[in-house]
Amino acid sequence: MTAEHPAPPADPAPPADPAHPARPAHPARPALAALLLCVLFATGPAAEQGPPGSSSPTDRDTSFVDLTRARIVTPETLRVQERTAVRVLVEEVEKRTNVRLPVASQWPPDTVPVIAVGPSASAAKWAAAALRGAGTADPAPGAEGYRLAVSTVGRAAPTVLVLGADARGVLFGVGRLLRELRMTAGALRLPGSLSIVSTPQTALRGHQLGYRPKTNSYDAWDVPMWEQYIRDLAVFGTNAIELMPPRTDDEPDSPHFTLPQMQMMMEMSRIADEYAQDVWIWYPALDKDYGDPKQVELALKEWADVLSKLKRVDAVFVPGGDPGHTEPRHLMALLERQTASLRKYHPKLQMWVSPQGFTKAWMDEFYQILKTEPDWLTGVVFGPQVRDSLPILRANVPRRYRIRHYPDITHSLRSQYPVQDWDIAHALTSQREQINPRPLDEAVIFRASLPYAADFITYSEGCNDDVNKIVWSGLGWDPKTDVVQILREYSRYFIGERYTDSFAQGLLALEQNWRGPLAANAAVYTTLEQFQAMERTASPRDLRNWRFQQALYRAYYDAHVRSRLLHETNVEERALERLRSIRTGESRQALADAARILDDARIRPAAEWRLRVYSLAEALFQSIRQQLSVERYRAIAVGRGATLDSFETPLNNGGWLLARFAEAAALGSEPEGLAAIDRIVRWTDPGNGGYYDDLGNPSQQPHLVRGLSFEEDPQRFKSTLTGFGYRPEWRLSWMPHAESFWDTPLQMRYSGLDPAAQYRVRIVYAGDVFNAGTLVRLVANDTYEIHPPMKKPSPVTPVEYDVPVDATRGGDLTLTFSGPVGAGSSGRGNQIAEVWLMRRN
């Protein structure tokens, strides 16, 4: 519930804008030292520069009203949140135009344009004259909604009405106005035909903002930066943020912290209240035994000590796992007592819980508790590591309880919604927390969940997912909104009017960079050319903008990775060709020649692109504190967004090949050496009448049963997906793998087999290190056990088994790989990298 204050306090100082505090080197200055001087001695934000009258192509036939000399008129008395809305309008316009709009409660002469901002309920008193001809006959907006209209009736100068249905509606109306304004240096215009009545279709539209060490940027933000970011989200219709307490599964401190965690939590709660944002607390139950009454009492005291210090708390969300691991009966008993305790400080506090990480037995126990419909519980959260799909969860949760989606929008692999069929070169370099605009994928995920859980607060680990947050907020306001339109508003508001279309299309192109095999995706270079064209004409202000820097970083990063992939793949092929042309008596010489050829992979192509990536990483640390390297910027780990440290990861089989070369050279005889070389160069050959599948490569898995499409099953509950593991000594074909989650089996189907032949199956069980101990069982045609549940071999090596003749007698074969039934946690482990079905002689 939005707090109301009849006598608002004086406006606080404007927040520092994290968009423009640092200035990267222009691409024409390749020297890193010159770049750092530009970064460290940059000036503050300036108005956007651009050709006079420059505009988006879609604006060319639009008539505009000039608001450069406008005055903002408000009622004499405003709530704090409404005062904040007016302050946002003044400050954000000034940043982009160098025009500071005056604010008054008295109407100016008719010749002065007016932007009238305030609640619609009292508009007849403070804006009566302007209401005539402003479309007020339209239906009134609902809760949090607004009316935004241009009127040229009754006054010589135009009037813009921004009327909110409530305090939030005023703020969101101002946000929409800012997104529609055309702002350039010294000029402020608005389409003259603008007339909008809008009400959000989703009640809860939020994002998790955790000030903790395990993030790629948040832990280094100060209070003004947090206010600016919360403001940015509110401009696009966000109405909730989720904070984290000082004690989580993180380290207790970060080298980047600008304030102690409790103090920052208090500041963020205060800011959220001023911006009409609900405040949620993600509070994990981390203690070992909540069946112990003494432990429960300690937890009650700890949570109360934290939440009692916060100005505003609307809800608490307790994950059942990831982290935490408490049996449902003890967890729910704890939360019942926590709810009663915490409502002493926040009487309307809601309590939410998720069954994350639960086994099937625990899910059944959880559902039985929900059937009693405890009245202290507000709702259930669907997030990562919930083993039941959203439709199944909704069917088992009583209708009195809302379900909130907790979608992971920040991670690209080993996550709730990983990038589909990601190329191994991207996975090895970009890893888990790359800058990841995925607007079209996020729209698919949002719309797939909508029938079961409209409410959401996203899971975020930093500003790398900034575009995805805005897409979710935009779709949460209106699920029918065209994603491209959201991107155009994002580009116009955050980057500048002249980038409305070009930057929006660039964001779409970055998502396409990650589609399909990277070696075949020449459009990656086209994407870079798009951004280089913007970069060449960019103003100093543009180059200081962290959102502009992020897009440039990804464009240069992807292009350089592709150039290396092509180069290193070619080097490997040359080395293998040397081995294929071997003659008897020269095995050792051929191995030495091939090793020297592999050494050419150290040559780095596209040196200017590579340097630009490093310079942009420095710029992003200066501008938004993004920590893209552990050594340079004190990131918490390489897999936590430190993509600069994985940027030059080898992209061919060089490491594996050199180890095999050494083994072959150490053999005692020439025939043994030749045989070892033959095994190297014919690794994937299944022999006469055989079949080979590289299950981590979507273009080489003809026998894999993939299941439903991404649009039908974005979380892959009933389908396979490509996962990733990594060891420097592995073959590339072992690093990606096919996998299925929880009780869903992974299947391969063969047809046209020789009924009279006997077959043997060779398998490489690889996978990620987090699930190395998972037991996997293999069955043929649902009848014949090829092998019982077994651990995946470590170190990774192929294993072979005979296929019963009866299994292939009909000419068809289905191989079914399955993990433990009823498992909890992430549900991963059923992971297979390569399969050969070989016909025995």
Side-chain angles (χ1 to χ4, degrees):
M1 189 72 68
T2 301
E4 297 183 10
H5 303 271
D11 290 345
D17 186 354
H20 316 301
R23 179 181 183 178
H26 193 277
R29 308 184 191 106
L32 186 59
L35 168 112
L36 296 182
L37 287 174
C38 289
V39 170
L40 297 175
F41 294 99
T43 58
E48 177 190 347
Q49 302 298 313
S54 62
S55 63
S56 164
T58 55
D59 286 345
R60 289 171 185 162
D61 298 325
T62 303
S63 175
F64 291 87
V65 295
D66 186 353
L67 300 175
T68 308
R69 297 187 307 106
R71 179 179 298 181
I72 298 173
V73 175
T74 72
E76 290 185 357
T77 302
L78 289 174
R79 302 169 185 172
V80 165
Q81 293 77 12
E82 294 164 345
R83 288 282 298 276
T84 298
V86 174
R87 180 163 57 89
V88 167
L89 179 58
V90 171
E91 292 172 359
E92 296 303 320
V93 166
E94 185 176 21
K95 288 175 188 175
R96 291 160 175 81
T97 66
N98 281 337
V99 174
R100 186 167 184 87
L101 300 175
V103 181
S105 59
Q106 301 297 318
W107 283 72
D110 285 357
T111 55
V112 177
V114 166
I115 303 175
V117 180
S120 59
S122 60
K125 297 179 180 178
W126 63 272
L131 290 176
R132 294 192 298 271
T136 53
D138 295 335
E144 301 187 15
Y146 56 81
R147 183 191 308 279
L148 174 59
V150 176
S151 172
T152 56
V153 177
R155 302 182 73 248
T159 300
V160 178
L161 284 172
V162 185
L163 304 179
D166 46 34
R168 275 184 174 162
V170 174
L171 178 64
F172 296 145
V174 164
R176 181 61 179 271
L177 173 62
L178 286 167
R179 285 146 49 195
E180 295 289 346
L181 283 168
R182 277 49 170 177
M183 293 181 274
T184 54
L188 186 64
R189 301 177 304 142
L190 187 68
S193 60
L194 196 67
S195 180
I196 300 169
V197 176
S198 189
T199 299
Q201 302 302 298
T202 300
L204 179 64
R205 310 174 302 282
H207 305 287
Q208 189 179 81
L209 304 177
Y211 182 73
R212 61 171 180 161
K214 198 187 299 178
T215 64
N216 55 56
S217 51
Y218 291 157
D219 55 332
W221 290 6
D222 57 22
V223 173
M225 294 175 76
W226 274 119
E227 178 172 356
Q228 183 65 50
Y229 199 66
I230 291 168
R231 171 185 292 191
D232 289 349
L233 296 176
V235 164
F236 280 81
T238 299
N239 69 354
I241 63 170
E242 188 163 71
L243 310 181
M244 294 187 177
R247 186 165 79 100
T248 65
D249 57 333
D250 276 25
E251 296 296 325
D253 197 10
S254 163
H256 300 286
F257 277 166
T258 59
L259 284 178
Q261 285 177 284
M262 189 66 243
Q263 188 175 345
M264 185 63 81
M265 195 179 185
M266 294 164 63
E267 291 286 353
M268 293 174 71
S269 174
R270 173 190 61 78
I271 293 167
D273 185 61
E274 292 176 4
Y275 282 80
Q277 301 289 300
D278 281 353
V279 174
W280 285 59
I281 311 298
W282 177 86
Y283 216 128
L286 296 174
D287 298 310
K288 185 176 181 180
D289 183 11
Y290 290 108
D292 180 353
K294 292 182 180 178
Q295 187 62 69
V296 170
E297 292 301 322
L298 289 173
L300 291 172
K301 182 179 186 305
E302 176 196 334
W303 294 27
D305 285 347
V306 172
L307 268 66
S308 64
K309 295 181 173 69
L310 303 181
K311 176 179 178 61
R312 176 172 184 163
V313 177
D314 296 272
V316 171
F317 157 39
V318 180
D322 191 29
H325 191 72
T326 300
E327 187 178 352
R329 62 191 179 97
H330 294 310
L331 179 64
M332 298 295 273
L334 168 70
L335 300 191
E336 180 176 12
R337 294 200 58 191
Q338 290 284 15
T339 304
S341 169
L342 298 175
R343 283 178 178 166
K344 297 174 185 175
Y345 312 102
H346 304 282
K348 296 183 179 181
L349 178 139
Q350 301 175 1
M351 181 63 73
W352 295 65
V353 65
S354 75
Q356 289 172 258
F358 284 6
T359 62
K360 184 180 186 305
W362 280 18
M363 287 297 296
D364 291 342
E365 181 182 323
F366 178 65
Y367 289 145
Q368 286 300 316
I369 294 172
L370 291 184
K371 284 182 179 179
T372 68
E373 301 195 7
D375 57 9
W376 55 266
L377 182 66
T378 307
V380 175
V381 176
F382 174 77
Q385 300 193 16
V386 174
R387 59 169 285 119
D388 283 349
S389 67
L390 190 46
I392 292 174
L393 186 72
R394 178 68 277 178
N396 281 278
V397 172
R399 301 303 298 186
R400 68 174 287 175
Y401 299 120
R402 292 160 59 193
I403 292 183
R404 177 201 128 182
H405 200 179
Y406 180 41
D408 181 351
I409 66 169
T410 204
H411 295 127
S412 299
L413 56 79
R414 290 195 310 277
S415 60
Q416 184 183 18
Y417 299 108
V419 177
Q420 297 300 300
D421 296 333
W422 216 16
D423 190 276
I424 182 61
H426 283 311
L428 289 176
T429 53
S430 286
Q431 296 208 3
R432 198 163 184 247
E433 285 181 22
Q434 176 64 283
I435 295 161
N436 69 335
R438 297 175 59 192
L440 299 181
D441 279 357
E442 299 301 338
V444 167
I445 297 163
F446 174 87
R447 288 170 176 147
S449 66
L450 198 56
Y452 313 101
D455 294 330
F456 67 85
I457 295 180
T458 68
Y459 169 23
S460 170
E461 297 280 21
C463 62
N464 66 301
D465 55 25
D466 182 67
V467 171
N468 301 337
K469 290 189 187 82
I470 299 303
V471 168
W472 274 83
S473 291
L475 292 174
W477 190 279
D478 183 357
K480 296 179 181 178
T481 302
D482 182 1
V483 171
V484 176
Q485 181 57 29
I486 296 174
L487 298 181
R488 293 182 75 251
E489 292 181 10
Y490 178 99
S491 302
R492 178 166 56 228
Y493 180 67
F494 288 128
I495 312 300
E497 180 187 349
R498 65 193 180 104
Y499 297 100
T500 299
D501 291 293
S502 59
F503 198 82
Q505 292 301 317
L507 293 174
L508 290 169
L510 288 176
E511 184 172 26
Q512 294 304 311
N513 279 7
W514 285 1
R515 299 278 202 247
L518 178 57
N521 190 359
V524 167
Y525 294 159
T526 304
T527 301
L528 177 59
E529 290 168 0
Q530 289 177 260
F531 280 103
Q532 285 177 321
M534 290 182 259
E535 187 180 24
R536 280 191 295 270
T537 61
S539 69
R541 173 189 181 274
D542 302 331
L543 294 173
R544 291 193 302 268
N545 186 320
W546 67 266
R547 291 180 168 97
F548 194 75
Q549 293 167 356
Q550 281 194 335
L552 289 176
Y553 181 84
R554 259 293 307 282
Y556 278 101
Y557 194 105
D558 292 353
H560 189 266
V561 168
R562 183 173 190 268
S563 72
R564 274 206 307 117
L565 174 64
L566 297 178
H567 168 66
E568 294 179 28
T569 301
N570 177 264
V571 168
E572 178 180 330
E573 183 55 34
R574 286 166 44 214
L576 292 175
E577 188 57 36
R578 173 66 183 93
L579 296 181
R580 293 189 192 102
S581 64
I582 193 171
R583 291 177 293 185
T584 302
E586 65 168 12
S587 63
R588 283 185 171 80
Q589 182 60 50
L591 290 167
D593 291 345
R596 280 193 294 272
I597 293 171
L598 286 177
D599 200 46
D600 288 348
R602 298 184 182 183
I603 299 171
R604 291 290 182 256
E608 291 185 6
W609 295 353
R610 176 176 175 270
L611 178 61
R612 190 68 178 125
V613 169
Y614 280 89
S615 66
L616 285 162
E618 175 66 26
L620 281 163
F621 182 68
Q622 298 294 335
S623 64
I624 198 63
R625 310 299 183 261
Q626 191 158 4
Q627 301 140 34
L628 294 166
S629 169
V630 174
E631 181 179 358
R632 293 168 183 253
Y633 308 118
R634 304 289 298 277
I636 194 169
V638 174
R640 292 286 179 177
T643 54
L644 200 64
D645 293 345
S646 51
F647 178 46
E648 304 196 51
T649 301
L651 301 177
N652 65 14
N653 285 302
W656 183 85
L657 285 171
L658 289 172
R660 304 291 80 73
F661 293 174
E663 292 172 356
L667 294 173
S669 68
E670 179 70 4
E672 288 177 309
L674 291 174
I677 290 172
D678 187 63
R679 288 192 296 271
I680 292 171
V681 299
R682 297 177 57 197
W683 176 264
T684 62
D685 183 4
N688 226 7
Y691 305 88
Y692 169 78
D693 285 72
D694 180 352
L695 292 181
N697 185 339
S699 65
Q700 296 184 39
Q701 45 180 227
H703 302 98
L704 178 67
V705 180
R706 291 178 59 86
L708 302 174
S709 68
F710 176 68
E711 289 73 17
E712 297 170 299
D713 185 16
Q715 198 170 339
R716 318 311 286 159
F717 274 103
K718 302 177 181 178
S719 315
T720 63
L721 73 156
T722 302
F724 300 94
Y726 175 73
R727 286 288 185 275
E729 68 274 14
W730 281 4
R731 279 181 57 85
L732 282 180
S733 57
W734 298 353
M735 297 178 190
H737 54 258
E739 65 181 334
S740 59
F741 286 155
W742 290 292
D743 299 346
T744 299
L746 186 150
Q747 292 188 320
M748 301 182 70
R749 288 182 185 151
Y750 302 83
S751 59
L753 303 182
D754 184 348
Q758 184 173 1
Y759 289 87
R760 187 169 177 81
V761 63
R762 177 189 297 159
I763 308 157
V764 173
Y765 289 111
D768 61 65
V769 296
F770 305 102
N771 301 281
T774 301
L775 302 180
V776 180
R777 180 176 183 243
L778 175 59
V779 174
N781 294 350
D782 296 327
T783 302
Y784 308 96
E785 185 174 76
I786 304 299
H787 68 69
M790 57 170 272
K791 284 188 177 182
K792 294 175 278 190
S794 180
V796 172
T797 187
V799 291
E800 294 189 13
Y801 303 93
D802 286 328
V803 178
V805 175
D806 288 345
T808 57
R809 198 178 303 280
D812 296 326
L813 173 67
T814 298
L815 297 177
T816 301
F817 301 85
S818 56
V821 175
S825 189
S826 67
R828 297 188 185 91
N830 190 24
Q831 301 164 330
I832 302 93
E834 294 179 288
V835 175
W836 296 255
L837 184 65
M838 302 171 292
R839 177 173 172 164
R840 302 190 65 175
N841 294 327

